[in-house]
């Protein structure tokens, strides 16, 4: 979701004037810190594909110099994601009627003078150490789905994991798609940098 939105965690935003300001402020500060700390971190490649007039697929990729197992452990600690992912105010597991993995996430941030938040409930499917697929079963989009993909790499003595976060988003008419596209592209980059820092901490 930024698995934007993992990534992330990631969100369409409903305008609210009464969002929990302390939570929003904490996540804005974390985003600012990441922007400062990004010096020396690896590049994040972001690609945007127009699927339809109001539908986008956004992918972000980063190389992390740690084994797949370590990144997997961070990604699948679902209820801890909101501790370090920028703009993710809540991430909690819900009971799944078929015994699978169901996750509720709430994103929050402040843009201009407005506070924005979005809620999604996602069903997840894990392919151990390789991939996590997710799809929305309820939330503030017409459609929201995607995946986390993990691939080990080796370049001589340089070894680690390539982590790719892809989301497909179809926002409701309450928010212009150009704003969603721009915001999610930024969020995905910050989410991957946050995971990079978390794995290395």
């Amino acid at each position: 979701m930024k698995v934007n939105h993992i990534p992330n965690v990631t969100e369409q935003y409903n305008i609210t004037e009464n969002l929990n300001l302390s939570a929003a402020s904490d996540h804005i500060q974390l985003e600012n810190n990441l922007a400062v700390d990004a010096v020396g971190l690896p590049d994040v490649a972001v690609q945007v594909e127009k699927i339809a007039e109001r539908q986008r697929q956004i992918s972000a990729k980063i190389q992390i110099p740690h084994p797949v197992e370590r990144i997997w452990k961070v990604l699948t600690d679902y209820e801890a994601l909101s501790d370090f992912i920028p703009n993710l105010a809540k991430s909690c597991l819900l009971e799944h009627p078929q015994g699978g993995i169901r996750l509720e996430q709430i994103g929050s941030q402040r843009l201009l003078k407005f506070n924005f938040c979005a809620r999604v409930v996602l069903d997840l499917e894990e392919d151990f150490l390789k991939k996590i697929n997710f799809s929305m079963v309820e939330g503030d989009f017409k459609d929201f789905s995607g995946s986390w993909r993990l691939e080990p790499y080796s370049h001589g003595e340089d070894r680690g994991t390539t982590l790719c976060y892809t989301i497909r988003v179809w926002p409701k008419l309450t928010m212009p798609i150009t704003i969603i596209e721009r915001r999610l592209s930024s969020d995905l980059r910050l989410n991957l940098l946050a995971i990079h820092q978390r794995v290395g901490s």
Side-chain angles (χ1 to χ4, degrees):
M1 198 97 82
K2 123 166 97 353
V3 200
N4 3 43
H5 334 210
I6 25 262
N8 171 289
V9 333
T10 37
E11 317 100 16
Q12 177 193 4
Y13 312 102
N14 294 325
I15 298 176
T16 64
E17 290 292 351
N18 297 311
L19 184 68
N20 185 326
L21 292 179
S22 62
S25 176
D26 289 345
H27 284 80
I28 290 167
Q29 184 61 47
L30 180 54
E31 179 175 343
N32 291 337
N33 290 342
L34 269 173
V36 172
D37 293 343
V39 177
L41 290 175
D43 291 335
V44 178
V46 179
Q47 182 177 4
V48 180
E49 179 182 352
K50 183 177 179 180
I51 301 173
E53 186 61 32
R54 289 187 49 78
Q55 299 179 52
R56 298 291 187 272
Q57 177 170 296
I58 307 173
S59 298
K61 185 181 294 186
I62 192 173
Q63 289 193 330
I64 303 176
H66 293 282
V68 168
E69 292 84 358
R70 191 161 175 175
I71 289 91
W72 182 268
K73 183 177 180 180
V74 169
L75 290 178
T76 55
D77 189 2
Y78 297 116
E79 294 193 326
L81 295 177
S82 58
D83 293 343
F84 65 94
I85 296 292
N87 304 315
L88 184 59
K90 178 181 179 181
S91 183
C92 67
L93 291 167
L94 303 178
E95 184 176 351
H96 193 292
Q98 280 81 46
I101 304 171
R102 180 162 289 183
L103 186 66
E104 179 188 30
Q105 293 189 329
I106 297 176
S108 67
Q109 61 183 243
R110 188 170 179 83
L111 295 177
L112 302 177
K113 63 178 180 178
F114 297 108
N115 296 309
F116 295 83
C117 69
R119 174 182 176 270
V120 290
V121 176
L122 306 170
D123 277 355
L124 291 80
E125 295 181 359
E126 297 179 354
D127 183 359
F128 185 60
L129 297 182
K130 295 179 180 179
K131 190 174 184 178
I132 304 169
N133 293 322
F134 57 87
S135 59
M136 190 186 79
V137 293
E138 111 184 35
D140 294 328
F141 299 91
K142 289 186 177 181
D143 186 39
F144 186 90
S145 60
S147 66
W148 294 91
R149 298 195 309 275
L150 302 88
E151 297 179 1
Y153 69 80
S154 177
H155 307 298
E157 295 183 357
D158 183 17
R159 298 183 180 183
T161 301
T162 299
L163 178 62
C164 183
Y165 182 28
T166 299
I167 60 170
R168 290 176 293 279
V169 60
W170 184 4
K172 295 179 181 178
L173 292 173
T174 52
M175 179 60 66
I177 184 62
T178 53
I179 294 178
I180 294 297
E181 177 183 326
R182 185 166 59 248
R183 187 66 251 182
L184 290 180
S185 296
S186 174
D187 284 353
L188 262 64
R189 176 180 177 275
L190 289 171
N191 290 353
L192 290 186
L193 289 173
I195 291 168
H196 184 284
Q197 290 187 322
R198 182 77 166 191
V199 171
S201 63

